[in-house]
Amino acid sequence: MSPARKKPTMKDKEARLGYLLIAPSLILIAIVILYPVIYNITLSFQNVALNPRRSNTFIGFDNYVALLTDPSLWHSLWVTLIYTTATVIGATVLGVAVALLLNQQLKGRRLYRSVVLLPYVAPIISLVFVWQYMFNPVYGMVNYTLVQQLGVLGEYVDWLDSPNAALTLVSVFDIWHLFPFCFMMVLAKLQSIDQTVYEAAEIDGAGGWNKFRFITMPEVQFVVGSLMILRFIWNFYKFDDVYLLTKEVPVVGVYTYELAFTTFDHGLAAAITVTLFILIMVFVLFAVRKVLKW
């Protein structure tokens, strides 16, 4: 005789209901995320035909081999690394500094906090238009101020079309535009620190630097580390800010876009994205273990 079938318990029924409730979300994630990733990996091994009536040609690792001998890609990676490092460090340092300042008992600090958030909440397209006007090499107020008023520069700088100046421009723009995000996260953590700890440190004779070093930094280092890792990932793939401001900064996002939609080499562009995904995953695993101590 077959053993008696076990009657499902209430816990089993609740677990089954839970799986049914999350099933639509899992299916949506599979469609929106997993399918494009798998499709992109497939394209990276093919020579993509532009004619929809012709099928793609499987070429194996030829696209990946071509990447190793592409000097434009290596230059793009170098520019991206400079841009990402500068913006991550700049936005983090500025965000922490402003958070420390506006965490003090200042008159009107609520207004100041609101003003600080404006670059982050304003539409990106409107910010780009304003900055293009300000940094216009002919009639922009930045050149006029630095050359005519302050005498810091000897001649007008072509901020929009010179590669080196354009890299400086997009880096400063990104720091100014995104440091409020770091400011918000760090300020939230600062406000959660028990003030009695600072009072006890003052009784023991600790000055401002020692309180920052031994109390504030240990409390916010996890938040700061997480922000730097996230910001590095986001900025390494940065496209919108850079592409809208100027076409003279060939970061990886812009280079891959032009490769796919200007030269229409979709297979090579897909190989670049797959390679970058692997590199970023290696960085994340290393950073999470070393920085966040997970």
Side-chain angles (χ1 to χ4, degrees):
M1 295 179 61
S2 60
R5 187 174 182 181
K6 184 180 178 181
K7 185 178 180 180
T9 63
M10 182 61 68
K11 186 176 181 180
D12 295 333
K13 293 180 180 179
E14 291 178 352
R16 188 179 304 170
L17 176 62
Y19 288 129
L20 291 175
L21 291 175
I22 66 173
S25 300
L26 294 177
I27 295 174
L28 181 62
I29 291 174
I31 295 175
V32 176
I33 297 179
L34 293 182
Y35 174 74
V37 170
I38 296 173
Y39 182 70
N40 191 72
I41 295 175
T42 304
L43 286 182
S44 67
F45 295 101
Q46 297 177 348
N47 183 13
V48 181
L50 299 180
N51 189 342
R53 298 182 179 180
R54 299 181 58 183
S55 59
N56 299 335
T57 305
F58 179 78
I59 58 175
F61 288 93
D62 288 358
N63 285 326
Y64 293 94
V65 173
L67 296 180
L68 300 177
T69 58
D70 184 4
S72 297
L73 175 62
W74 289 105
H75 175 68
S76 177
L77 286 173
W78 176 245
V79 172
T80 304
L81 187 60
I82 295 174
Y83 167 78
T84 303
T85 303
T87 53
V88 168
I89 295 176
T92 303
V93 172
L94 184 58
V96 171
V98 176
L100 291 171
L101 176 63
L102 295 185
N103 192 45
Q104 307 298 319
Q105 295 295 331
L106 300 176
K107 185 178 181 180
R109 65 175 181 174
R110 291 184 179 180
L111 175 61
Y112 300 149
R113 291 173 180 177
S114 302
V115 172
V116 168
L117 295 178
L118 288 179
Y120 188 69
V121 300
I124 182 65
I125 190 66
S126 61
L127 297 178
V128 167
F129 284 153
V130 171
W131 275 63
Q132 285 181 334
Y133 180 83
M134 290 170 52
F135 285 86
N136 187 280
V138 178
Y139 52 79
M141 62 174 292
V142 174
N143 271 336
Y144 174 76
T145 302
L146 295 178
V147 177
Q148 301 292 337
Q149 299 295 321
L150 302 179
V152 176
L153 300 178
E155 58 183 7
Y156 279 26
V157 177
D158 190 354
W159 298 100
L160 301 177
D161 296 321
S162 174
N164 293 331
L167 179 59
T168 303
L169 171 61
V170 296
S171 299
V172 173
F173 177 84
D174 185 87
I175 293 172
W176 171 80
H177 174 48
L178 297 174
F179 90 88
F181 180 77
C182 179
F183 157 76
M184 287 189 297
M185 298 298 104
V186 175
L187 181 62
K189 180 60 181 177
L190 289 175
Q191 292 181 329
S192 68
I193 301 176
D194 189 354
Q195 295 300 311
T196 59
V197 179
Y198 290 103
E199 294 173 0
E202 291 179 357
I203 294 174
D204 292 336
W209 168 248
N210 286 328
K211 288 190 292 184
F212 172 77
R213 180 182 177 186
F214 295 108
I215 300 176
T216 305
M217 279 308 300
E219 288 287 342
V220 303
Q221 65 180 0
F222 183 85
V223 175
V224 172
S226 302
L227 288 171
M228 293 188 70
I229 292 174
L230 288 174
R231 180 54 54 196
F232 187 92
I233 296 171
W234 295 339
N235 282 19
F236 199 84
Y237 293 115
K238 181 66 71 174
F239 170 78
D240 50 354
D241 301 12
V242 179
Y243 190 77
L244 290 172
L245 270 173
T246 174
K247 306 299 187 295
E248 296 299 323
V249 183
V251 293
V252 171
V254 174
Y255 177 76
T256 306
Y257 173 83
E258 293 181 344
L259 191 66
F261 298 104
T262 301
T263 62
F264 300 102
D265 196 342
H266 298 291
L268 187 58
I272 293 176
T273 59
V274 172
T275 303
L276 293 180
F277 174 76
I278 296 174
L279 292 177
I280 289 298
M281 285 303 299
V282 172
F283 164 77
V284 169
L285 293 175
F286 174 81
V288 165
R289 291 176 61 89
K290 297 297 182 179
V291 178
L292 303 184
K293 308 296 182 183
W294 284 4

